[in-house]
Amino acid sequence: MYKIAIIAGDGTGPEVTAEAVKVLKAAADKFSFKVSLTEFDFGGERYKRTGETLPDSAIEELRRFDAILLGAIGHPDVPPGILEKGILLKARFELDQYINLRPVKLYPGVYTPLKDKGPEDIDFTVVRENTGDMYTGTGGFTMKGTPNEVAVQSAVYNRFQVDRCLKYAFEYARKYGKKACGKGDNNTLALCGKTNVLTYIYDLWARAFNEMGEKQFPDIKREYYHVDATCMWMVKNPEWFDVIVTGNLFGDIITDLGAMLQGGMGIAAGGNINPQGVSMFEPIGGSAPKYTGKGVINPLAAICAVQMMLSTLGEEKAADAIESAVIFVTANKLKSLQAGRMGYSTSEVGDLVAEKLYG
Ligand code: IPM
Ligand code: MN
């Protein structure tokens, strides 16, 4: 029995979450495990009503679950930063979800803007560190509002944070890298950094990366790319990448690029993972206010978040079956992954995946 917390959130969050839950229930049925679902109403509406984002008591409550499924957070009437910091980042930080795992995998039948690239070329995973960097809120203003105003926002990492992230990334490469999956000659981990300019932060990362790789993971091929070059090669030669590990901010940026390569926000999912605690899975797109309530948004990203959740919980068979069902649907059913152009409604797409699962 898995206890799952559901935070459907704002905008199209509830619509896509409903389909993800539909598929989760179908998988539980088919693969004989049980789920108990508890819904939480955190999000923009609750904030507007009560001024509350994610209270400390909720964090304590969430700790008792096996996993969290998140729809989307973001409200057009709430100024930027409040809900992001108060809910999404608070959950990531307080629950110490120090890995943000973001696969970039082009499924058959899915449009990619990269000409001449296909599913065999676009198939890699980004391991984004999820608790440090410029996301820590270290910094501040002086002389705010004057012509001399100064703003500082520091990138912050300690060795412990870097090491635990690298360890996860090396182990991930060993288990799920291209060689391990029969797709290549090596399992490769690439560090994405900026050692030519961020000579403190990424010097620390590079030293830790090489030390750990040499001592503990001699079987994993190591590569290094500057973040700007990473963007360049992700577009030109995405087939070079296997597993990429990087800091929080670069990881945020390159995974939006990655999401476009794999067909857009309709399909891109991520896991905020605490390997020793409770993890939270989400479609990486936003709340898409303009599509809210229309039944046109693509639920596949939320469904893929469920797939990642089950894989992390150890239900690998169910996770693989969901992935196969998603691939069946992208390859044979949907006209496009874009909202309003799928040829099916949001709930019909959920039905297609669930039916294939039962298949
Ligand atoms: C993401 C988002 C968040 C981030 C925002 C909403 C705080 O862009 O999950 O990638 O920057 O991490
Ligand atoms: Mn982002």
Side-chain angles (χ1 to χ4, degrees):
M1 163 81 92
Y2 298 107
K3 288 169 61 187
I4 312 293
I6 310 282
I7 306 175
D10 301 317
T12 50
E15 294 164 59
V16 297
T17 303
E19 301 316 307
V21 166
K22 186 188 281 174
V23 171
L24 173 60
K25 286 180 174 164
D29 220 30
K30 170 101 195 217
F31 292 90
S32 310
F33 58 89
K34 288 204 162 59
V35 288
S36 98
L37 309 177
T38 308
E39 288 183 30
F40 293 87
D41 68 348
F42 304 114
E45 289 301 331
R46 174 160 171 165
Y47 173 73
K48 276 177 40 188
R49 236 178 26 247
T50 67
E52 217 169 34
T53 48
L54 188 62
D56 294 337
S57 59
I59 294 286
E60 290 318 310
E61 218 177 320
L62 288 172
R63 280 187 212 283
R64 294 198 291 267
F65 286 84
D66 294 306
I68 304 165
L69 181 63
L70 180 75
I73 297 293
H75 198 292
D77 304 342
V78 181
I82 294 177
L83 300 172
E84 291 86 342
K85 275 193 180 166
I87 302 178
L88 186 62
L89 298 181
K90 183 162 177 180
R92 289 178 184 172
F93 278 69
E94 295 289 320
L95 299 172
D96 206 18
Q97 294 163 339
Y98 60 88
I99 299 298
N100 197 328
L101 190 65
R102 296 189 163 183
V104 178
K105 202 166 170 182
L106 179 68
Y107 289 144
V110 175
Y111 169 80
T112 177
L114 297 190
K115 194 165 172 284
D116 302 330
K117 297 293 177 189
E120 60 294 340
D121 305 304
I122 300 171
D123 183 4
F124 60 93
T125 304
V126 178
V127 176
R128 166 186 173 188
E129 201 289 330
N130 213 27
T131 62
D133 211 341
M134 291 205 207
Y135 280 72
T136 58
T138 305
F141 297 107
T142 48
M143 296 172 280
K144 192 173 180 188
T146 74
N148 288 321
E149 174 167 353
V150 177
V152 177
Q153 193 127 21
S154 302
V156 178
Y157 269 117
N158 65 34
R159 180 73 191 237
F160 165 76
Q161 279 175 310
V162 171
D163 275 339
R164 69 181 181 173
C165 177
L166 288 171
K167 180 164 177 282
Y168 183 94
F170 274 116
E171 283 172 353
Y172 189 91
R174 191 177 264 167
K175 194 165 170 200
Y176 298 107
K178 286 193 167 161
K179 186 177 175 192
C181 298
K183 295 178 197 160
D185 298 332
N186 294 295
N187 295 322
T188 307
L189 181 63
L191 173 64
C192 163
K194 189 72 184 172
T195 52
N196 53 347
V197 177
L198 304 185
T199 49
Y200 308 127
I201 287 284
Y202 279 102
D203 183 80
L204 169 58
W205 272 87
R207 272 183 289 120
F209 176 66
N210 288 319
E211 278 170 32
M212 186 178 289
E214 224 163 89
K215 281 199 202 115
Q216 298 175 48
F217 299 93
D219 53 315
I220 309 295
K221 189 174 167 213
R222 290 194 305 277
E223 291 179 341
Y224 172 81
Y225 298 89
H226 293 321
V227 62
D228 44 355
T230 306
C231 293
M232 186 166 88
W233 299 124
M234 274 172 69
V235 171
K236 176 119 196 314
N237 294 104
E239 67 280 2
W240 286 358
F241 294 109
D242 186 355
V243 183
I244 299 176
V245 64
T246 189
N248 207 345
L249 184 62
F250 292 168
D252 176 47
I253 297 166
I254 69 170
T255 54
D256 266 26
L257 175 55
M260 288 303 120
L261 305 188
Q262 72 183 115
M265 289 303 179
I267 189 90
N272 301 280
I273 296 176
N274 176 343
Q276 291 83 35
V278 50
S279 302
M280 178 170 76
F281 300 85
E282 53 174 341
I284 78 175
S287 57
K290 73 173 179 184
Y291 295 121
T292 302
K294 298 202 163 80
V296 297
I297 196 85
N298 189 341
L300 287 179
I303 290 168
C304 290
V306 165
Q307 176 223 323
M308 293 183 78
M309 182 172 90
L310 291 177
S311 166
T312 308
L313 290 171
E315 294 291 339
E316 294 282 0
K317 275 196 190 139
D320 289 348
I322 293 176
E323 184 172 39
S324 302
V326 168
I327 290 174
F328 172 81
V329 170
T330 61
N332 302 296
K333 300 287 181 185
L334 301 197
K335 287 203 204 109
S336 156
L337 295 195
Q338 271 179 282
R341 300 192 187 163
M342 300 186 290
Y344 295 90
S345 71
T346 304
S347 72
E348 283 169 343
V349 175
D351 289 341
L352 286 171
V353 177
E355 276 161 26
K356 185 67 190 169
L357 255 186
Y358 280 119

